[in-house]
Amino acid sequence: MCTIVVALAVWPDSPLVIAANRDEMLARASEPARLRAAGEIGERAVLAPRDQVGGGTWLGLGDLELVVGITNRRSGPAKRELRSRGELVSGALGRGDRERARAWVEQLDPRDYNPFHLLLADRLGAEVVWSDGGRFTRVGLEPGVHWLTERSFGAGASWRHDRLAELARTLVGEDEPELADWQAILADHRPYTGLDQVGFDSMCVHARAVGYGTRSSTVVRLGQTPEQIEFHHAPGRPCETAFVDHSAEARQLLANPSGD
């Protein structure tokens, strides 16, 4: 149950901050974040990790300051014959900006993909296009702290949502968290008391008994100018893996857009 926290226009110096965990089968092969040339996982250059099975990604930064991320939507067993939802992220990033990304997604057939929640965000705003497997719904996000998991938009109750609601109330009106603060948030194991428990509802999931858990974390901060961007990626559980600073690569990406 992946988690994406979106802080939109909450702090004056940071129009957009995204903190995310990817939860996935432990055996599913993936590559950590790095700068990728146009054509590697989309039509434009991006900074993103890569799913080696589906070929796409679950969260990435485009060369025009577009951030795209995805979570599954709870709906029963996934249909394995459908297309990889990681294609939605790489495809949207390949459009360049948020408006074109949204238009590209909405012309697809939702029946080709298992249900999902797709975040499209930049310094000026954010929105979610979500699918129940039969139709798309678009939701614009107002300034504030928002979150996405597989149980968002009425897909199911979750202790994690209660924790995220508490977090949203705490963050608004306070100083902007440092990277260590975000890491602590993403590494939260509550409500479970032992890492040997099979628990799926904490921020950081340890379900080794069934071969599942949090696989990586990413924190992206867009400042008032492209030069103030930050991109940090932990290629493992945030409770035991240090974040790698990819901010210089992010600035390089934004300084050299792929073009249309």
Side-chain angles (χ1 to χ4, degrees):
M1 191 168 82
C2 300
T3 302
I4 304 176
V5 178
V6 185
L8 182 64
V10 175
W11 303 289
D13 294 332
S14 300
L16 177 69
V17 179
I18 291 173
N21 276 352
R22 184 203 187 202
D23 302 335
E24 182 54 86
M25 300 303 296
L26 302 180
R28 190 176 178 106
S30 63
E31 301 171 1
R34 65 172 175 82
L35 197 58
R36 300 178 188 276
E40 186 170 345
I41 62 170
E43 296 181 18
R44 303 178 73 97
V46 299
L47 175 56
R50 179 177 180 271
D51 175 26
Q52 291 180 290
V53 178
T57 187
W58 53 94
L59 190 148
L61 169 70
D63 57 1
L64 297 181
E65 290 189 279
L66 176 65
V67 182
V68 182
I70 197 167
T71 77
N72 297 348
R73 179 175 174 84
R74 189 182 188 190
S75 62
K79 299 176 181 177
R80 297 186 180 277
E81 69 273 16
L82 298 182
R83 302 183 68 88
S84 169
R85 285 169 286 201
E87 294 179 1
L88 296 163
V89 180
S90 55
L93 287 167
R95 309 281 75 78
D97 61 43
R98 184 158 50 96
E99 182 177 351
R100 285 183 286 184
R102 179 203 318 128
W104 176 80
V105 173
E106 291 180 338
Q107 58 83 37
L108 299 172
D109 188 339
R111 295 170 296 181
D112 288 341
Y113 301 89
N114 285 297
F116 63 84
H117 307 119
L118 185 73
L119 172 71
L120 308 172
D122 55 31
R123 286 191 300 115
L124 301 179
E127 58 200 84
V128 177
V129 178
W130 65 271
S131 167
D132 60 5
R135 66 170 184 166
F136 294 131
T137 300
R138 175 184 172 270
V139 179
L141 301 184
E142 298 294 326
V145 179
H146 308 268
W147 60 88
L148 296 173
T149 78
E150 69 166 15
R151 300 181 189 179
S152 295
F153 302 108
S158 166
W159 185 92
R160 193 185 306 190
H161 279 209
D162 295 339
R163 168 73 181 104
L164 288 163
E166 174 190 339
L167 175 67
R169 291 190 295 268
T170 300
L171 291 177
V172 174
E174 298 295 328
D175 292 337
E176 181 179 350
E178 302 288 342
L179 179 62
D181 300 320
W182 284 118
Q183 184 165 11
I185 290 167
L186 296 170
D188 191 349
H189 297 118
R190 292 178 292 169
Y192 307 103
T193 57
L195 298 186
D196 57 339
Q197 293 179 294
V198 179
F200 296 93
D201 214 13
S202 59
M203 294 287 282
C204 185
V205 177
H206 289 248
R208 296 186 180 94
V210 294
Y212 185 84
T214 298
R215 295 284 307 278
S216 68
S217 294
T218 308
V219 177
V220 184
R221 173 185 175 270
L222 272 63
Q224 292 290 354
T225 67
E227 292 75 21
Q228 295 173 315
I229 193 166
E230 295 182 19
F231 192 112
H232 304 272
H233 181 75
R237 294 187 184 92
C239 62
E240 57 191 19
T241 308
F243 278 87
V244 178
D245 189 352
H246 295 274
S247 303
E249 293 168 84
R251 291 190 291 272
Q252 179 184 345
L253 174 70
L254 301 187
N256 299 280
S258 305
D260 296 317

